[in-house]
Amino acid sequence: MPATPLTDFSRLCLHTITTKPWSLDHACKEYARAGVKSISVWRDTLVGRDVAASGKQLRDAGLSIVSLVRGGFFPAADEIGRQKAIDENRRCIDEAAALGAPMIVLVCGAVAGQPLAESRRQIAAGLAAVLPHAKATGVKLAIEPLHPMYADTRSAINTLKQANDLAAQFDSSVGVAVDVYHLWWDDQLQAEIARCGKLGKLFAYHVCDWRSPTVDMLNDRGLMGEGVIPLREIRGWVEAAGFTGFIEVEIFSHRLWQTDQVEFLRQIQAAYLRHT
Ligand code: ZN
């Protein structure tokens, strides 16, 4: 018998979007079979399902639920739109509570043509509006800063400094999700990760890679090791800041979604051990 390879997947978490072709049932079965211990659930996989039963199903399969993805998108051109966003975030909080997810990842939002400073004001106001409901249900909110290429429509929060500044306005229910894809280029990253840790707000750590060239602004993320992000260095900064949570693999890729997902999952696990 060959020696059993050293494998430790105790901190590996997969986002369901990473294996987008799979339903939640399918992902649950395959992740568990592969020895993955945790999952971040995207809301699209819960449509039409009993959310509480889905949470139980995942836990029964040995998967702990790290986060529900995603809430946010607070800015809107008018008051009605902003209220709709607040209502939707309250539903998202209820869903997280029913699922048993301790945290929601927030893509904060932006409105094309609206000044970014105004969008940031609306994001802060939206967070303040939903925070009592989050606290009442025990669900934490993690602000995920997005790469500035998404500043037009997806998020006016584009650096870790902006996310830290925003999170610092709120209590311990609001923190930050650090995603290497969005932040790797920032020369203030190490210092802001340290600051995030000091603030007690380093809630989540997401990994993938930045392919060069990147051919699609949204759906061409790389598997760890395929691109230019110094993954080990950033993980070192995150752990130096006190983070001991899950390392969440979040890859959107038309190219990789077209491949055999069982084989892709095997590649993710190998890349996790080798590069992350
Ligand atoms: Zn992310």
Side-chain angles (χ1 to χ4, degrees):
M1 291 251 308
T4 306
L6 283 173
T7 54
D8 179 3
F9 298 117
S10 60
R11 291 181 64 197
L12 170 62
C13 172
L14 257 69
H15 279 234
T16 56
I17 192 81
T18 300
T19 53
K20 190 180 179 187
W22 284 346
S23 67
L24 191 63
D25 286 334
H26 200 156
C28 176
K29 192 176 71 182
E30 293 294 345
Y31 292 6
R33 186 173 15 218
V36 175
K37 299 296 181 206
S38 63
I39 185 168
S40 277
V41 177
W42 279 57
R43 294 184 78 194
D44 63 283
T45 65
L46 294 171
V47 172
R49 296 180 59 104
D50 180 325
V51 174
S54 299
K56 181 176 186 309
Q57 179 187 346
L58 294 169
R59 284 185 293 277
D60 287 349
L63 294 164
S64 60
I65 302 168
V66 177
S67 57
L68 179 65
V69 193
R70 61 203 183 185
F73 291 100
F74 291 111
D78 57 32
E79 188 56 42
I80 293 169
R82 291 191 287 278
Q83 187 56 50
K84 266 190 189 161
I86 288 166
D87 294 343
E88 182 57 28
N89 276 276
R90 290 196 179 116
R91 280 192 290 276
C92 185
I93 290 165
D94 289 336
E95 208 169 281
L99 185 68
M103 165 172 69
I104 293 172
V105 176
L106 299 176
V107 170
C108 289
V111 176
Q114 173 167 283
L116 291 172
E118 175 58 21
S119 286
R120 288 181 198 122
R121 196 195 61 73
Q122 293 176 7
I123 290 163
L127 269 168
V130 302
L131 189 57
H133 193 54
K135 290 167 72 71
T137 50
V139 173
K140 296 199 173 203
L141 304 174
I143 299 161
E144 178 166 337
L146 258 55
H147 191 284
M149 69 178 168
Y150 303 121
D152 57 342
T153 57
R154 286 178 185 272
S155 184
I157 306 299
N158 305 108
T159 64
L160 185 52
K161 179 182 185 301
Q162 289 169 348
N164 283 338
D165 288 348
L166 180 58
Q169 297 173 32
F170 298 96
D171 69 14
S172 61
S173 295
V174 178
V176 174
V178 169
D179 185 322
V180 296
Y181 190 76
H182 298 299
L183 301 175
W184 69 276
W185 54 271
D186 184 351
D187 68 354
Q188 298 304 303
L189 185 57
Q190 183 178 9
E192 288 296 331
I193 285 173
R195 178 181 165 222
C196 190
K198 276 207 189 82
L199 289 167
K201 294 191 175 290
L202 188 33
F203 283 6
Y205 180 53
H206 299 174
V207 298
C208 63
D209 214 335
W210 182 283
R211 301 183 80 215
S212 185
T214 290
V215 299
D216 182 306
M217 282 171 68
L218 192 59
N219 293 314
D220 190 32
R221 293 188 179 200
L223 181 63
M224 297 82 74
E226 283 189 325
V228 298
I229 300 178
L231 287 159
R232 280 274 161 81
E233 185 174 36
I234 297 174
R235 178 176 171 180
W237 298 342
V238 164
E239 291 184 348
F243 182 77
T244 56
F246 289 101
I247 294 167
E248 305 182 43
V249 176
E250 182 190 29
I251 302 172
F252 321 150
S253 168
H254 287 313
R255 174 180 58 96
L256 294 167
W257 287 329
Q258 282 167 13
T259 64
D260 180 287
Q261 297 295 283
V262 172
E263 170 59 18
F264 178 38
L265 178 52
R266 198 195 59 71
Q267 290 171 358
I268 288 168
Q269 291 183 282
Y272 170 79
L273 294 175
R274 184 146 183 225
H275 297 291
T276 300

